[in-house]
Structures are given as structure tokens and as C-alpha cells.
Amino acid sequence: MYHSHRMELFACRASEDFAHKVISHLNALTPDNDNPLHLGELVTTPFSDGEFQPQFEESVRGATVFILQSTIPPADNLMELLLAIDAAKRASADKVIAVMPYFGWARQDRKDRPRVAIGAKLVANLLRAAGADRVMTCDLHADQIQGFFDIPVDHIYASKVFIPYILNRNFENLAIAAPDMGGAKRANSYAKALQTPVIICHKTRERANVVGSITAIGDVEGKNVIIVDDMIDTAGTLCMAAKVLKDKGAQSVRACATHGLLSGSAISRIHDSQLEEVFITDSIPHPELANDPKIRIVSMTEVFAKIIHKVYNYESISSDFIF
């Protein structure tokens, strides 16, 4: 069964390269199509005071509109997405689907201290208020964030690309490690899929982005360890965990994380660490890492294209999820 409304795909400024690749994969899924998809023209006009205004340069009336944007810092990227959703709704789009390879503010998913905001819930409310009918995203910091939404959420997992990538590398004596207790579930899922043992790193924090100490629990001696996580921010935890694992006898330590925020001195910290390689996805653009000696980028664009294609055509997407 195919959708009665045409598909239109646009990208805000932070995810234009990602969107171009998604379009290529979408057109490959329908090779006999006489009217190949193109990336719609969405122009964002800046004002001198920092304000900006997105405008669709083509009609979206009656269309199913997919708007791609990772809400990485700064907050402008979220605001641009919200304004684009609002513009599409006011231009009489039939449905507006926010495609967010990286969902910012996902770490603020609970009140873990007095008098703090729950940022993930606020962003969910803002997307709904702007007019989004559906959200598509990848590796939320916590699965329960899906429950913050009153609209459907397609939660895609990077394991769809990372598991085959790791298997193709044919690592011997492989072990999967969680960088902290919060990542134990994810590490266990990877270990189950790869049939490897699990190592858990227990860390204490002095304050946000500052790690106090880390200890490793599990059989590390002689193992080629891959630390799995949902994101790398300052890389402080990751590099400290790599050192602890090497000190305990690991043969090699690598890392695999969906979202490479890589803020501050994260890249130089990774280069100076005992990590042999770091695998990230292209959910956040890093053109400067194209030829990096340590950091490898694994693309999620084909996975997103397949999910967009199936959602648009009302097809089941359950078979496209690993965990």
C-alpha cells in the first residue's frame, strides 16, 4: 500500500550533507521512479541580531514532509528545526515528520538533582507544539524518552550498522565493555549479538564532564575490548576507561559510540589516549575527520533512508531493529 500524498524531504543547515546521502539511498530504493526525489529548497535567512527565519522555496501543500536536523549545539539548531516544522504546517503540509539523527538534551531525562529542568521532555513538548506529527531519531540517551512524546517515535539503533562493521573486522578474543553502569544494558545487548563476554566499568563523577575514578569489573586479560556507548562528549570517561582496561591487561581497546559530540579537546584527547580506534556515526557532521588516523565514521544514512521509505509507505519497520 502506497501513500496517496507525495513525499518532500528538506534539511536544516546542520544536516544538509546527511540529507543528500539519504536522498541518494531513497532513490536507489525506487530505481524505476520517473520522478526521482530531490532535496527540497529550504532557505534560512539570518538577521543581524542573530534571529533567523526558515522559508520553503517550493510548495509543500498536501505533502508528507520530512525535515532532517540534528539538534547539536548551539540551541539555534533546535530553534531552526522548530521554525521549519511550524512553517511546513502553516504551508498546509499534510504531515510533518522531524528526522533527528541526534536528539539533543537527551541527557536531561530526569530530575537527578534538586531544581533542574527535564530538558528531554521540554524538547518533546516543543516539537509537538511546533506541529510535528512524528519523530524519527537514533540511539536516545535513555529508551524511556520515547514516553515523553504524545506522537509516534521511530527509535533507530546504530547497532544496525555497528554490529556488521565489528563482525567484518574479525577481532579475536573480543570483549564488549560498558563505560559506566548506565551503559550495562547496551553493552550486554552488543555482547549477546557478538557472543562475547561483558566488562563493566564503574565510575564516580566529581561534577558534570569530570570523572573522579574508574574501576573495571570482568575478565580483561588478553582481550581485544570494544567500549560501546551512545555518545562521546569530552571523551574524558572514554580515555580514562581505556587506560584502566589496558592497565588490567587488555590486548587492545577500541570504542564504538553513536553520536560523536567531540566537544572541547575531545579529539586531541582521543589521539593522545590508549584507544586504538574510535567508531562513530555521521549523526553529527564531522567533515574534518574524513582522514583521521584514529576516528572512523560509519554512515547511518542508508538505515534512515530505509526507515523513511517504509514509514512513508505504511510498511512495518520492526524487522529493521536489532536492539
Side-chain angles (χ1 to χ4, degrees):
M1 175 177 171
Y2 283 85
H3 206 300
S4 58
H5 301 100
R6 73 186 189 279
M7 179 196 293
E8 296 284 354
L9 201 142
F10 297 87
C12 296
R13 290 174 293 180
S15 296
E16 288 180 349
D17 289 341
F18 189 94
H20 278 294
K21 293 173 184 175
V22 167
I23 286 282
S24 296
H25 290 301
L26 278 168
N27 284 324
L29 290 170
T30 53
D32 298 327
N33 192 348
D34 293 331
N35 298 305
L37 285 167
H38 68 281
L39 188 62
E41 203 169 339
L42 176 62
V43 176
T44 300
T45 305
F47 298 100
S48 60
D49 65 346
E51 190 178 320
F52 48 82
Q53 183 180 51
Q55 179 182 6
F56 293 92
E57 295 288 291
E58 54 192 84
S59 174
V60 296
R61 185 178 296 275
T64 298
V65 176
F66 292 83
I67 304 176
L68 280 81
Q69 174 83 317
S70 280
T71 53
I72 53 174
D76 284 1
N77 291 319
L78 173 61
M79 194 66 196
E80 186 179 353
L81 174 60
L82 294 172
L83 289 170
I85 293 168
D86 183 74
K89 275 306 211 186
R90 294 179 188 279
S92 301
D94 180 61
K95 288 183 181 175
V96 180
I97 300 172
V99 182
M100 305 169 68
Y102 170 67
F103 183 93
W105 285 271
R107 284 174 284 186
Q108 299 180 40
D109 61 342
R110 64 196 184 281
K111 280 193 70 173
D112 54 353
R113 289 175 293 155
R115 300 174 296 281
V116 297
I118 302 180
K121 172 60 175 170
L122 175 61
V123 173
N125 288 343
L126 290 170
L127 288 163
R128 184 69 185 95
D133 296 291
R134 189 182 198 99
V135 170
M136 193 175 292
T137 190
C138 179
D139 272 354
L140 289 165
H141 189 62
D143 287 347
Q144 62 266 26
I145 291 173
Q146 296 172 72
F148 292 174
F149 288 87
D150 295 322
I151 55 176
V153 177
D154 297 311
H155 188 202
I156 300 167
Y157 293 95
S159 54
K160 184 76 175 177
V161 295
F162 278 142
I163 294 294
Y165 185 83
I166 293 169
L167 286 172
N168 286 339
R169 295 295 298 274
N170 293 318
F171 295 115
E172 294 183 356
N173 263 346
L174 183 63
I176 297 297
D180 51 38
M181 299 300 286
K185 181 181 176 183
R186 180 181 292 102
N188 186 62
S189 298
Y190 271 77
K192 185 176 180 181
L194 294 164
Q195 298 182 336
T196 67
V198 180
I199 299 162
I200 306 295
C201 297
H202 174 65
K203 73 178 177 184
T204 59
R205 281 197 184 276
E206 292 181 1
R207 58 185 184 277
N209 290 130
V210 178
V211 180
S213 63
I214 293 181
T215 56
I217 305 165
D219 183 14
V220 180
E221 185 71 37
K223 295 289 193 297
N224 288 304
V225 181
I226 298 179
I227 304 169
V228 297
D229 208 352
D230 64 312
M231 66 175 67
I232 303 172
D233 190 353
T234 64
T237 297
L238 186 62
C239 294
M240 189 179 290
K243 182 180 186 307
V244 168
L245 291 166
K246 285 289 284 186
D247 290 346
K248 288 197 72 172
Q251 185 175 333
S252 68
V253 182
R254 293 171 174 82
C256 164
T258 308
H259 309 298
L261 277 69
L262 304 178
S263 61
S265 57
I267 294 174
S268 60
R269 190 174 283 137
I270 288 169
H271 288 164
D272 295 338
S273 73
Q274 298 194 46
L275 288 160
E276 289 206 9
E277 291 176 295
V278 173
F279 315 135
I280 60 174
T281 76
D282 51 359
S283 64
I284 295 172
H286 282 292
E288 76 280 8
L289 298 177
N291 299 306
D292 192 273
K294 270 195 178 183
I295 303 173
R296 320 287 182 210
I297 298 176
V298 183
S299 182
M300 286 289 295
T301 54
E302 186 174 1
V303 174
F304 269 89
K306 286 180 179 178
I307 302 299
I308 288 170
H309 179 77
K310 289 188 173 185
V311 167
Y312 173 70
N313 290 310
Y314 300 122
E315 296 176 9
S316 172
I317 60 175
S318 57
S319 61
D320 289 277
F321 293 97
I322 298 179
F323 49 81

